């Protein structure tokens, strides 16, 4: 069973739900009419299905190998696939035209990202991290730094990494100890050890550009004393070619549960030469520019692993013959019925579909607001775009990664015993997907970001705007009989979210532990509300096509899956609200020593 | 961090909740007064913590190795640990005195099983499977078979396996193709290939007794034509010593996501010599005697992995310093606070505790009813014991394995990035636990067993008896102010369960897909109700001790965790009930081709 990129779903979202053609007056969108987008996505699908997907198992089984000289060899086939990736211009899809990119809306680039992550997550992380480095330099680099690095990162000719974590600090970057000492010539000498550096060292590119957080000698303690540096593996010479080897190296590879095809490195800086990006002691802010974008990407990875796992499970369920349907044989001439006839198997597949299709819409819708924030001429639209991006980034990251993992686990369950063996892809999807709940800020950190920062920002403007938008949709569509269950479901869950929001406002300030204890349930309730809104938008679009006489069964199926979401996924909202309202009491009552 | 067996929890359950000392008039219980039980459990805890637990990682990393001759070598240290296991008499704990066993109540043996499974699940599966073979022969073997095999299996001197699955059949054992041809001397020649055979071949014992399902030439098709055979690896000679090598061998080892220390074999029978157990064509019934017992054991494995994972997470959370508490520094002299101060970390640990402690009680309570079914002089008590065992076995198996997996996943999450590496035990617990949702009947099969068979058996006698027992408890304790939240929570969830049961009765017969679509949510609702009842019993026992002036903080903690269960775990019940009542409609609406 090969992964089939869901291009039809992408086109439905872009064309009929988000209607990106109405934005053709905006930069980037002008260059991407739907027929061009469709060609791009078809070509992307071919590349991901035919080149990347077949290497997914290879990467898992072989992993990366570190030589005694610190070099890292990627799994067989990765190098050639990477060459094709660069040649196809895929890394440049969403980069700025000024640096050789194609400048397409990020919402279009997202479709490619989903496909490549689903086909081969460990592989896709190499260009993924490169894009992170690109974004950080774009956000804070000098003109010279931009001119030197951005074209090479945009094309994928050079790789990039983010050097954040150290043994004593993951979430708590204020504890960073890596030191930067001015060398006197404008550069810095960086010393320290970084761990869990994805794509930290490899044989795919002729150079690797490390973005490194470090503390300049004498800088203030904590997060206010951290600066960001560019540390290239090979220091570019006057012509911008990789020159002298820098004192940055891979001291070891991490043994991990999954994503074996990605080199997760211990990176050692022994007076490596670094160039400051932006101002001294302002490194964290720059890092968060990159991080927010990366968090949407991680939500997408979770979704992508769920999609690939779902597809494998659906294919297995249609082939595996075992027992008869409860309502009588459906394959009477065979020895047994395909297990997809069993309602509990169907339940797991439908759970997956309902969340994947709604979740994909939420990511795309959020990313479109990111595009609007950057490209729209109207300040109010830009501001709303920024608000939504800020508000929904933690929701997309945490809700969709944990759902992706549950879907991968259910997909494994559909396989029965076969799922637990490594002869089927189910185990790898489960193992690979698990990291998405952790990196780029654990899901708990996302939940705290949502309730502790994003809700309150600008006097709660973002969440109030979102609530008003949902209310307006509900009002405008109440009379639409075909949309009734969607509008009612949305109105109900939005009321629950509002109830939870009010509770947080009233109780979170009085005792911040109330906010902390409620945070994950609040985020999940937000996720359900977001998906309910997306399902209402999708159902409206599907209804429109059906009313217009479009007989494509895609639209009828969309409504069936949407109804499933409303009837069988949304009921979780009540439990989340009930838990929010327990407050910190039961959560914090047991003394730490009693654990 | 070493696994610490929760002996205090076991003693609380046995002494104060189940009050097994009141049963000292029953066989087995008479030999196990609480002071003796306490000694046994202390010794068991020492063995599991000091001998088995240190080999858990070793087993995961080394796995089993198959030689070119089909021999299988277990991981370093397993053989010596197994020798100590047998020498300590641990496998004999729950076996019949007639066959060299100690005849202890299974509820006592369960405590040992939990500890050994938590310490080293892959290892514990070797004696676990042996006990399965023991049970099948005990249930259906001839006197000669019992005399020959049971003492050697009871002691652990010989190992045992269950040869059920074949490539074309896992759940659907009616599709078995392995053939048995009468040899003319009372034995049969068995031919066929079995897969996923746990403990199928190894170097721990001088002989291995395979219990094999096969079809005697000319037997009816389907499940009515399957017989059970004993196929010893070495055919016992006249003195009962391992003699001639039988034609049964390991043709390969399965590559798996977890339980690497257990040899999961492809077992090849090439006219192996087998002895019929019980009657021809009645093999499945015998296998289910064993299987029902095994299912409780698998529920216990799920719980045990959850417990071990929880302990590792709690230890990590108390040591790892990262960020400050929302309410101000708790470790002001350190660089940061231990992460256990963060409410969302605490939430995951409390979720684990609430389910583990309640789940352990449910397993012990169910197993005690199994003991009563076998040992009590009063027929009504025996019948109730049988009813409860039958009713709750699928609940214990499915609900506690899926909860165990969720706990293992949360425990990994508490570790942050460390959890995804193989330097901490979190990944192994997650990977090992995943099989428990699948083997001995997938959780979906358990749910169908519950709604399709167990509910309706004897006119619904079991579920009505259980409901009446809960009602009686609620009535008897309504006036107890200290127990109020527990009694109210229990009454509420029991009403939801009853509502769901009624819905199933009214809609399940009309359309069996309604029952199938509701089955997993119904099982989960049943699990929550069972745990609510256990928590009420435990709270009552704890209140009693506190009222009696016992100052052990254990009891106060028990009440805190119980309150958490009622306030923050039980709210899921409403979502389950809502899903039950959607019926098959949304689940089955999408055509199979649309997946």
């Amino acid at each position: 069973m090969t992964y089939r990129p869901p291009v039809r779903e992408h086109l439905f979202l872009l064309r009929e739900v988000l209607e990106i053609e109405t934005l053709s007056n905006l930069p980037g969108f002008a260059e991407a009419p739907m027929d061009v987008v469709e060609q791009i996505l078809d070509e992307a699908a071919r590349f991901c299905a035919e080149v990347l997907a077949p290497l997914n198992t290879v990467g898992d089984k072989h992993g990366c190998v570190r030589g005694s000289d610190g070099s890292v060899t990627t799994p067989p086939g990765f190098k050639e696939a990477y060459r094709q990736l660069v040649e196809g211009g895929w890394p440049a899809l969403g980069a700025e035209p000024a640096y050789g990119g194609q400048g397409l809306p990020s919402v279009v680039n997202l479709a490619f990202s989903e496909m490549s992550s689903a086909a081969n997550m460990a592989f896709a992380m190499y260009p993924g991290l490169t894009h992170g480095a690109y974004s950080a330099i774009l956000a804070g680099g000098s003109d010279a730094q931009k001119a030197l690095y951005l074209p090479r990162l945009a094309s994928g000719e050079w790789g990039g990494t983010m050097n954040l974590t150290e043994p004593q600090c993951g979430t708590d970057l204020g504890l960073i100890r890596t030191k930067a000492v001015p060398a006197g010539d404008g550069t810095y000498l960086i010393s320290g050890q970084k761990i869990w550096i994805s794509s930290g060292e490899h044989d795919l590119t002729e150079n690797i550009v490390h973005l490194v957080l470090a503390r300049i000698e004498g800088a203030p303690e904590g997060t206010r004393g951290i600066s960001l540096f560019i540390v290239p593996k090979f220091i570019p010479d006057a012509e911008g070619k990789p020159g002298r080897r820098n004192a940055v190296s891979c001291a070891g590879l991490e043994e991990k549960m999954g994503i074996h095809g990605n080199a997760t490195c211990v990176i050692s800086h022994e007076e490596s030469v670094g160039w400051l990006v932006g101002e001294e002691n302002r490194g964290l802010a720059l890092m968060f520019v990159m991080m927010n974008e990366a968090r949407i990407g991680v939500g997408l990875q979770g979704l992508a692993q769920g999609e690939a796992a779902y597809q494998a499970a659906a294919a297995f369920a249609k082939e595996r013959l075992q027992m008869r349907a409860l309502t009588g044989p459906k394959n009477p001439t065979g020895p047994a019925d395909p297990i997809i006839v069993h309602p509990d198997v169907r339940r797991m597949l439908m759970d997956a579909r309902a969340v994947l299709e709604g979740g994909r819409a939420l990511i795309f819708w959020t990313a479109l607001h990111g595009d609007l924030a950057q490209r729209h001429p109207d300040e109010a639209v830009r501001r709303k775009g920024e608000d939504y991006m800020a508000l929904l980034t933690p929701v997309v990251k945490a809700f969709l990664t944990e759902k992706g993992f549950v879907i991968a686990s259910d997909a494994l369950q559909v396989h029965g015993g076969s799922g637990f063996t490594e002869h089927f892809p189910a185990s790898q999807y489960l193992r690979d997907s698990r990291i998405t709940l952790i990196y780029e800020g654990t899901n708990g950190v996302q939940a705290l970001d949502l309730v502790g920062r994003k809700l309150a920002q600008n006097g709660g403007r973002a969440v109030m705007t979102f609530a008003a938008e949902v209310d307006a949709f509900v009002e405008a569509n109440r009379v639409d009989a075909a949309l009734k269950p969607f509008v009612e479901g949305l109105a109900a869950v939005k009321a629950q979210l509002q109830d939870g929001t009010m509770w947080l406002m009233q109780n979170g300030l009085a005792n911040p532990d109330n906010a902390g204890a409620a945070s994950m349930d609040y985020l999940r309730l937000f996720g359900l509300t977001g998906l309910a809104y997306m399902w209402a938008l999708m159902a409206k679009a599907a209804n429109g096509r059906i009313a217009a006489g479009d007989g494509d069964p895609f639209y009828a199926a969309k409504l069936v899956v949407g109804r499933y979401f409303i009837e069988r996924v949304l009921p979780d909202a009540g439990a989340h609200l009930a838990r929010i309202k327990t407050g910190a009491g039961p959560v914090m009552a047991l003394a730490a020593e009693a654990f």
Side-chain angles (χ1 to χ4, degrees), chain A:
Chain A
M1 148 80 207
T2 315
Y3 164 68
R4 285 169 310 170
V7 173
R8 182 72 186 84
E9 298 287 341
H10 295 147
L11 294 175
F12 170 65
L13 289 175
L14 295 173
R15 181 154 33 203
E16 290 152 37
V17 181
L18 303 178
E19 302 180 298
I20 67 166
E21 283 178 311
T22 64
L23 300 168
S24 60
N25 56 327
L26 303 186
F29 289 88
E31 289 74 46
M34 276 309 297
D35 56 335
V36 171
V37 168
E38 193 166 346
Q39 278 173 28
I40 293 173
L41 297 192
D42 282 341
E43 192 51 35
R46 196 203 56 73
F47 175 71
C48 294
E50 294 176 14
V51 179
L52 300 188
L55 295 175
N56 198 35
T57 312
V58 177
D60 187 51
K61 299 237 188 275
H62 284 261
C64 295
V65 179
R66 179 179 174 276
S68 54
D69 60 352
S71 66
V72 171
T73 309
T74 54
F78 271 41
K79 201 164 173 172
E80 167 59 17
Y82 190 83
R83 195 191 59 72
Q84 292 185 46
L85 178 90
V86 172
E87 212 164 70
W90 297 111
L93 218 56
E96 308 293 298
Y99 304 110
Q102 299 183 38
L104 289 183
S106 70
V107 75
V108 174
N109 192 29
L110 265 190
F112 173 72
S113 295
E114 183 197 326
M115 295 180 207
S116 55
S117 278
N120 195 327
M121 177 167 154
F123 179 94
M125 287 173 68
Y126 293 103
L129 269 295
T130 302
H131 192 71
Y134 170 93
S135 300
I137 296 175
L138 183 68
S142 66
D143 289 346
Q145 287 169 342
K146 289 180 183 175
L148 174 58
Y149 291 105
L150 293 186
R152 292 167 175 90
L153 292 170
S155 67
E157 188 187 350
W158 291 0
T161 80
M162 312 305 304
N163 278 222
L164 284 68
T165 305
E166 298 179 8
Q168 78 290 353
C169 61
T171 298
D172 199 349
L173 292 170
L175 301 178
I176 277 178
R177 290 189 200 138
T178 294
K179 235 188 352 197
V181 180
D185 61 355
T187 66
Y188 293 78
L189 296 177
I190 316 273
S191 302
Q193 199 187 56
K194 296 287 182 177
I195 63 170
W196 304 341
I197 307 307
S198 299
S199 317
E201 174 59 44
H202 55 75
D203 55 2
L204 301 180
T205 56
E206 61 176 21
N207 205 359
I208 298 174
V209 182
H210 301 283
L211 274 282
V212 184
L213 289 183
R215 196 179 289 285
I216 296 172
E217 265 196 327
E221 294 274 297
T223 55
R224 289 162 198 279
I226 294 172
S227 304
L228 183 66
F229 298 89
I230 294 172
V231 178
K233 177 177 166 186
F234 293 99
I235 297 171
D237 64 18
E239 292 167 5
K241 303 267 181 227
R244 181 166 64 87
R245 185 71 163 85
N246 206 344
V248 51
S249 61
C250 170
L253 287 178
E254 205 66 60
E255 236 190 294
K256 313 182 298 288
M257 188 166 87
I259 52 167
H260 296 156
N262 194 273
T264 307
C265 299
V266 177
I267 293 286
S268 180
H269 294 270
E270 291 168 314
E271 302 206 326
S272 66
V273 182
W275 283 262
L276 183 68
V277 184
E279 294 174 44
E280 286 189 9
N281 302 333
R282 299 294 298 274
L284 270 194
L286 280 178
M287 193 53 86
F288 272 101
V289 169
M290 177 285 300
M291 187 90 90
N292 273 327
E293 187 188 297
R295 285 175 174 177
I296 295 278
V298 174
L300 189 68
Q301 286 179 331
L303 181 94
Q305 290 299 294
E307 170 72 29
Y310 155 77
Q311 287 191 17
F316 185 88
K318 286 189 278 189
E319 279 167 21
R320 173 75 170 169
L321 306 180
Q322 208 78 170
M323 309 301 282
R324 292 296 180 185
L326 297 171
T327 52
K330 298 291 176 281
N331 176 34
T333 58
D337 289 344
I339 61 171
I340 199 167
V341 304
H342 304 309
D344 194 61
V345 170
R346 198 71 73 97
R347 170 187 66 80
M348 293 187 272
L349 297 175
M350 288 297 291
D351 276 347
R353 286 282 287 266
V355 169
L356 290 170
E357 294 177 22
R360 181 181 292 112
L362 185 65
I363 297 185
F364 276 58
W365 182 85
T366 303
L368 179 64
H369 281 288
D371 282 325
L372 296 177
Q374 287 176 358
R375 303 172 193 234
H376 205 278
D378 181 344
E379 198 200 324
V381 175
R382 288 202 305 275
R383 196 178 70 179
K384 188 173 103 167
E386 276 168 27
D387 281 354
Y388 280 7
M389 269 296 273
L391 181 69
L392 286 162
T393 292
V395 177
V396 161
K397 197 280 184 183
F399 187 70
L400 295 180
T401 56
E402 78 173 15
K403 285 293 189 186
F405 177 71
V406 169
I407 290 167
S409 181
D410 278 350
L412 189 149
Q413 188 71 16
V414 168
H415 284 77
S418 301
F420 196 68
T421 73
E422 298 290 356
H423 298 295
F424 286 80
S427 162
Q428 188 187 351
Y429 292 132
L430 183 78
R431 291 183 288 101
D432 284 0
S433 71
R434 191 62 188 76
I435 188 60
T436 63
L437 286 75
I438 298 171
Y439 64 12
E440 302 297 348
T442 65
N443 284 1
V445 168
Q446 305 302 320
L448 208 55
D449 179 47
L450 177 65
V451 303
R453 295 183 61 244
K454 301 300 176 62
L455 275 190
Q457 261 174 5
N458 305 307
R461 190 177 67 202
V463 70
M464 285 189 290
T465 309
F466 178 74
E469 177 170 337
V470 171
D471 286 344
F473 179 91
V474 167
E475 281 318 306
N477 293 281
R478 266 205 195 284
V479 293
D480 185 342
L483 216 55
K484 193 162 180 279
F486 293 96
V487 169
E488 286 178 353
L490 174 60
V493 72
K494 187 256 159 188
Q496 289 171 305
L497 179 67
Q498 192 149 326
D499 195 349
T501 310
M502 288 297 292
W503 188 92
L504 275 175
M505 286 174 164
Q506 288 159 1
N507 299 278
L509 278 178
N511 176 4
D513 276 350
N514 280 332
S519 60
M520 189 56 78
D521 281 291
Y522 183 79
L523 183 144
R524 289 167 179 163
L525 181 53
F526 215 122
L528 288 173
T529 309
L531 263 61
Y533 184 36
M534 294 303 114
W535 270 116
L537 294 177
M538 289 193 285
K540 192 175 165 72
N543 279 337
R545 298 298 302 175
I546 291 167
D550 193 327
D552 187 341
F554 177 89
Y555 299 107
K558 193 58 72 185
L559 294 172
V560 167
V561 178
R563 286 290 292 269
Y564 184 95
F565 176 84
I566 301 293
E567 289 190 54
R568 296 190 46 102
V569 181
L570 269 193
D572 285 331
H576 294 309
L577 182 58
R579 277 192 282 268
I580 289 168
K581 292 185 172 183
T582 69
V587 178
M588 304 301 285
L590 203 60
E593 312 80 67
F595 286 89

